[in-house]
């Protein structure tokens, strides 16, 4: 392994040539277009950050056509001159020594990955997947992709895999973070449509954060809260006293996974007290009367029992919401990653609807997204819905999408894809034989990861397409395809507030690494379906196709002329239909109270709470909570671990936070090594004793590989999102 790292490191260090050309693989050879230059060699140019969904504008400083530094863009409407540590270090991961600079094939004799040329890699890719398809059918090969590549690449991948290669099952790692919000909005509003704009952070007089540690997970959004001049009440509902909870005016440390009971109990108090907006409910919603009847059983007595809060606390919380004139509700993974996540998200939506806190400045039921392009994946990934949020079972939708792409509608499969966990189970059952993993590190991030890793051995062929050949998942691959990263290609991201932003090629990818877009183009040609994708000649041409597909949809972006308009406007929020004016005006949804269901109304949706899976008992007495550790870490640390600067800002080893009372009982002190065991695995970590975690609970950051050895494979029944936030464990001091 070291030999290969050295060999590739040497190749990476040699990239001193011109920065605006694709290397080694001649563009003419495969019909690849040269990435257009959008700036002069010594320009400063704004690029949207490639880590989180905030979508900050970063200025890249160029010298002699080469990116040499970064700064936060003071004029970009998202971040207003601010950036978090990851943003400041965004160029560093591109220069890592373990970049994949050539395709790599596993040598069956030695078991090592060895460099091969693109020709061999592509021929093999197609031969192996075609063999599997011929033998086992169109459901036998799947892909798992990402919220980290540009929208045009996501759409291309989904179209290529389903329409061109003729497969059915595919999913993205956005299943792990945003599937719940997607399903909750779609069912409640009729379309996956987060309603807010970031100005709402500054305009609320009450902000309610539920399962969201915004300070750490979305630090620039938190800075927008800090700019609020209305002296707002900041409410945090979270079992842990997180950094956000410490800065809040009210913190409600509920029992883990009692949020649904609390939200229904609050609704009951608000309704019984007449603290609702009956005019809004009657004009813009359906199902309220049934909901009002349903929540009657969530008495304050029951809520105190289940949540651990006092009656006074619950009434103070309800009273604060009732008295607010502009109340905004915000949630993220604490809600999304639960066993009853969709109904929990909809319980938040219900509170906003019944109090009339929708469509006005400073209001909304607002899901904060995770990855830089989770929103692109949700609308244009061609995974759970057809491109542009269309329905694959709807003939008119199929005809529209096929028409825009110049395809016969018969190539669009009617049947839905399996979700991520169903694909994993498909491998276990021997139904999935081939897997293509693109820009995600499932071997680290998937729930109960050791089971997933054992299952990979059952595959006939595993392809991993990534920036690095050293990821945990690439270690299992038969073939690695080297991909260009953020800053080495162009395209668009869509951020949490539905803002379409531009990323640009400011650095040349090392060696033979290619943009994902160009890899998909090559796959199409080698597969023999290149003719179907001639319209996808460049990311900007693909964007034109997506614009046409979006026509008439809630996410309509037909008014965006071209990439230059996105660049000049500081991003453009959807919807922006043809003839819309002023791309730079901020847009929030539902100002007119019109939702996307056929009757124009939002739905109240609700259901009895479910038992949490994997509950604590005498043998496993603690509840393990997981989440973000620091603002310097990103998910599986595939990129952030490459930065010397970022690595200084967080502990190198996995750690577990536990309460001082529990620590005393177990004779554990901070800094000592402990063993943490769930019903599935045991890991070791460093103990960190802190009052921020309640007795009976442990907290481990998700960034360390140890954490997902412990988590439980349980899923929300509607979104099929894993329940990362709750499992039973025990902790012991290591001698
Ligand atoms: Fe990048 Fe998110 Fe940090 Fe902004 S907050 S700089 S988008 S990682």
């Amino acid at each position: 392994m070291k030999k290969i790292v050295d060999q590739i490191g040497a190749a990476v260090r040699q990239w001193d040539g011109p920065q605006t050309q694709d290397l080694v693989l001649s563009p003419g050879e495969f019909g690849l277009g040269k990435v257009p230059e959008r700036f002069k060699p010594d320009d400063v140019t704004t690029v949207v950050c490639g880590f989180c969904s905030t979508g900050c504008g970063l200025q890249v400083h160029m010298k002699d056509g080469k990116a040499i530094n970064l700064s936060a863009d003071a004029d970009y409407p998202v971040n207003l001159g601010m950036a978090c540590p990851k943003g400041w270090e965004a160029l560093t991961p591109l220069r890592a020594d373990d970049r994949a600079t050539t395709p790599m094939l596993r040598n069956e004799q030695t078991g090592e990955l060895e460099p091969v040329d693109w020709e061999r890699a592509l021929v093999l890719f197609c031969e192996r997947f075609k063999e599997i398809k011929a033998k086992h059918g169109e459901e036998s090969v799947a892909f798992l992709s990402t919220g980290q590549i540009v929208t045009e690449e996501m759409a291309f991948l989904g179209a290529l895999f389903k329409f061109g290669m003729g497969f059915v099952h595919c999913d993205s790692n956005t299943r792990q973070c945003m599937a719940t919000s997607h399903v909750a909005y779609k069912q409640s509003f009729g379309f996956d449509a987060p309603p807010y704009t970031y100005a709402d952070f500054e305009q609320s007089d009450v902000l309610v954060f539920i399962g969201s540690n915004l300070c750490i997970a979305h630090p620039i959004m938190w800075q927008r809260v800090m700019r609020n001049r209305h002296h707002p009440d900041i409410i945090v509902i979270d079992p842990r006293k997180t950094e956000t909870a410490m800065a809040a005016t009210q913190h409600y440390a509920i029992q883990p996974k009692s949020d649904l009971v609390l939200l229904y109990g609050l609704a009951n108090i608000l309704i019984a007290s007449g603290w609702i907006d009956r005019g809004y409910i009657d004009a813009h919603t359906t199902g309220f009367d049934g909901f009002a009847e349903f929540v009657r059983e969530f008495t304050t007595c029951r809520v105190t029992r289940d949540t651990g809060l006092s009656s006074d606390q619950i009434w103070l919380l309800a009273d604060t919401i009732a008295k607010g004139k502009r109340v905004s509700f915000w949630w993220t993974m604490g809600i999304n990653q639960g066993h009853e996540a969709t109904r929990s998200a909809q319980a938040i939506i219900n509170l906003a609807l019944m109090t009339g806190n929708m469509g006005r400045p400073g209001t909304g039921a607002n899901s904060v997204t995770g990855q830089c392009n989770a929103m692109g994946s949700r609308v244009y990934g061609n995974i759970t819905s057809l491109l542009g949020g269309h329905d694959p079972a709807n003939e008119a939708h199929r005809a529209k999408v096929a028409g825009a792409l110049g395809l016969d509608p018969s190539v669009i499969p009617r049947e839905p894809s399996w979700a991520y966990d169903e694909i994993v189970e498909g491998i276990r059952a021997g139904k999935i034989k081939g897997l293509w993993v693109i820009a995600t590190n499932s071997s680290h991030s998937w729930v109960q990861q050791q089971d997933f890793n054992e299952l990979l051995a059952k595959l006939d062929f595993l392809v991993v397409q990534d920036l690095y050949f050293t990821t945990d998942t690439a270690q299992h691959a038969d073939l690695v395809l080297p991909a260009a990263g953020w800053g080495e290609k162009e395209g668009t991201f869509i951020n949490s507030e539905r803002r379409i932003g531009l990323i640009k090629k400011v650095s040349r990818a090392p060696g033979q690494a290619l943009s994902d877009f160009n890899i998909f183009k090559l796959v199409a040609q080698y597969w023999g379906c290149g003719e179907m994708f001639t319209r996808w000649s460049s990311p900007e041409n693909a964007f034109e196709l997506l614009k046409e597909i979006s026509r008439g949809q809630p996410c309509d972006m037909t008014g965006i002329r071209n990439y230059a308009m996105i660049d000049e406007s500081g991003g453009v929020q959807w919807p922006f239909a043809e003839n819309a004016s002023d791309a730079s005006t901020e847009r929030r949804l539902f100002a007119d109270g019109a939702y996307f269901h056929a009757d124009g109304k939002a739905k109240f949706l609700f259901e009895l709470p479910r038992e949490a899976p994997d509950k604590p008992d005498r043998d496993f007495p603690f509840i393990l909570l997981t989440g973000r550790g620091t603002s310097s870490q990103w998910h599986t640390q595939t990129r952030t671990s490459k930065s010397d600067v970022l690595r200084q800002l967080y502990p190198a080893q996995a750690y577990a936070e536990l309460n001082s009372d529990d620590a005393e009982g177990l004779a554990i002190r901070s800094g000592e090594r402990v063993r943490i065991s769930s019903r599935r695995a045991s890991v070791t970590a460093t103990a960190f004793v802190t009052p921020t975690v309640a007795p009976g609970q442990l907290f481990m950051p998700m960034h360390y590989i140890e954490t997902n050895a412990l988590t439980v494979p349980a899923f929300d029944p509607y979104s099929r999102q894993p329940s990362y936030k709750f499992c039973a464990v025990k902790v012991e001091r290591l001698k």
Side-chain angles (χ1 to χ4, degrees), residues 17-341:
Q19 293 293 302
T20 50
Q21 294 172 6
D22 282 318
L23 269 193
V24 181
L25 192 65
S26 135
E29 196 174 344
F30 297 112
L32 302 179
K34 185 180 167 187
V35 176
E37 287 188 50
R38 301 203 175 276
F39 34 80
K40 299 190 188 85
D42 292 334
D43 255 351
V44 175
T45 189
T46 296
V47 179
V48 171
C49 177
F51 283 104
C52 91
S53 67
T54 308
C56 297
L58 302 174
Q59 290 196 322
V60 180
H61 301 253
M62 313 284 294
K63 189 165 174 49
D64 302 329
K66 195 170 174 179
I68 55 165
N69 215 337
L70 275 176
S71 58
D73 187 340
D75 295 326
Y76 202 72
V78 166
N79 50 316
L80 313 173
M82 301 174 279
C84 83
K86 298 186 293 295
W88 287 103
E89 276 295 285
L91 287 170
T92 306
L94 301 178
R95 302 189 167 111
D97 279 353
D98 58 345
R99 285 294 301 270
T101 57
T102 172
M104 300 181 85
L105 181 64
R106 191 164 303 281
N107 181 319
E108 285 178 12
Q109 266 77 49
T110 65
E112 296 290 321
L113 285 170
E114 293 175 353
V116 292
D117 62 28
W118 270 107
E119 174 77 18
R120 172 118 194 265
L122 289 160
V123 167
L124 196 72
F125 177 100
C126 294
E127 274 179 8
R128 296 299 306 274
F129 281 151
K130 281 187 174 184
E131 269 168 29
I132 293 171
K133 188 181 180 193
K135 203 163 159 195
H136 303 286
E138 62 194 17
E139 297 194 49
S140 59
V141 176
F143 78 65
L144 296 172
S145 74
T146 180
Q148 297 286 152
I149 58 178
V150 296
T151 306
E152 295 80 354
E153 293 173 339
M154 290 173 175
F156 196 175
L157 172 62
L160 166 66
F161 193 75
K162 287 185 171 178
F163 312 158
M165 298 166 75
F167 292 116
V168 178
H169 299 306
C170 51
D171 204 355
S172 155
N173 64 12
T174 47
R175 179 74 58 186
Q176 295 160 271
C177 63
M178 298 317 303
T180 291
S181 297
H182 172 84
V183 175
Y185 280 137
K186 208 166 165 181
Q187 292 181 348
S188 293
F189 295 162
F191 197 82
D192 177 14
Y196 61 100
T197 185
Y198 291 159
D200 290 318
F201 285 121
E202 302 177 21
Q203 293 166 341
S204 300
D205 59 2
V206 178
L207 298 106
V208 186
F209 293 99
I210 308 149
S212 165
N213 188 6
L214 205 74
C215 269
I216 293 300
H218 299 90
I220 302 307
M221 292 192 206
W222 179 251
Q223 292 305 314
R224 298 293 299 261
V225 176
M226 293 293 96
R227 289 165 51 93
N228 188 314
R229 299 274 178 260
H230 304 288
H231 306 290
D233 263 309
I234 300 175
I235 294 169
V236 170
I237 300 171
D238 198 307
R240 269 196 314 140
K241 190 156 186 146
T242 62
E243 293 79 354
T244 313
M246 289 177 205
T249 56
Q250 298 176 32
H251 173 216
Y252 297 93
I254 59 171
Q255 282 299 311
K257 289 298 119 218
S258 64
D259 33 16
L260 189 55
V261 170
L262 174 63
L263 294 164
Y264 286 157
L266 286 172
N268 187 30
I269 291 175
L270 292 165
I271 294 166
S273 307
W275 295 339
I276 57 174
D277 186 338
R278 192 75 223 197
Y280 192 89
I281 293 167
D282 291 344
H284 303 300
T285 72
T286 56
F288 176 74
D289 290 343
F291 179 62
E293 181 64 30
F294 168 78
V295 294
R296 267 197 213 152
E297 68 176 270
F298 293 87
T299 60
T300 305
C301 182
R302 174 172 177 185
V303 178
T304 54
R305 187 193 70 206
D306 286 10
T307 63
L309 300 178
S310 69
S311 167
D312 285 352
Q313 283 179 298
I314 295 161
W315 275 87
L316 173 64
L317 177 51
D319 187 59
T320 310
I321 292 169
K323 287 192 175 137
K325 293 190 171 47
R326 298 176 306 282
V327 184
S328 56
F329 299 86
W330 308 86
W331 81 85
T332 180
M333 299 315 153
I335 289 291
N336 284 350
Q337 296 176 335
H339 68 286
E340 50 191 2

Side-chain angles (χ1 to χ4, degrees), residues 17 20 96 181 194 207 214 238 270 301 318 344-345 355 405 471 493 527 548 581 652 664 706 717 735:
T20 50
S181 297
L207 298 106
L214 205 74
D238 198 307
L270 292 165
C301 182
S344 301
T355 55
L405 300 181
T471 70
F493 288 156
W527 192 268
E548 198 48 42
S581 58
E664 196 179 326
E706 289 84 351
K735 303 283 183 270

Side-chain angles (χ1 to χ4, degrees), residues 9 36 70 173 590 618 646:
L70 275 176
N173 64 12
F590 311 127
R618 221 176 56 176
L646 295 179

